Amino acid sequence: MPTVDSEGRIRIPEEIRDSLDLTPGTEVTIRHVDDTVVVETGPPPERILDRMETLFDEISADPEPTPRGELDAQSRSHLDAIQSGAASGKTATDDQ
């Protein structure tokens, strides 16, 4: 049974690491739920890159912007802010 070392680390058994494809550098989220510690892995980088590629392909396939009237209120607000910033020549880093 794994134990917590003096620095608070727990070694995940090899068979679990292998089954979850946990390799050095894999990001995990650790949560406390009731009396249990839950360790969750994020999606593998390959899946994130595949999803990004799909999104880029979808954007490229439909280069026409969505008409302003078809946008929800939050999207219109973001669009207004972007257009206002572009008109003033200000960039997002100017306020930082």
Side-chain angles (χ1 to χ4, degrees):
M1 173 176 278
T3 58
V4 178
D5 72 11
S6 63
E7 293 186 32
R9 296 177 295 201
I10 301 170
R11 184 180 169 277
I12 298 172
E14 184 177 11
E15 61 274 5
I16 294 174
R17 291 192 318 264
D18 289 346
S19 71
L20 294 174
D21 196 27
L22 297 177
T23 56
T26 300
E27 290 188 11
V28 297
T29 300
I30 302 173
R31 298 183 294 118
H32 177 231
V33 179
D34 299 322
D35 290 330
T36 305
V37 174
V38 178
V39 179
E40 298 174 317
T41 62
E46 296 80 18
R47 189 170 3 155
I48 294 170
L49 292 173
D50 288 345
R51 178 67 179 137
M52 288 177 63
E53 186 174 312
T54 299
L55 291 171
F56 287 136
D57 289 344
E58 289 172 3
I59 291 169
S60 298
D62 184 17
E64 293 298 318
T66 302
R68 189 178 197 293
E70 293 180 20
L71 297 173
D72 60 54
Q74 185 176 13
S75 296
R76 283 193 304 273
S77 174
H78 286 286
L79 179 61
D80 291 344
I82 291 167
Q83 290 174 333
S84 174
S88 71
K90 228 177 165 183
T91 67
T93 56
D94 288 343
D95 292 332
Q96 296 175 0

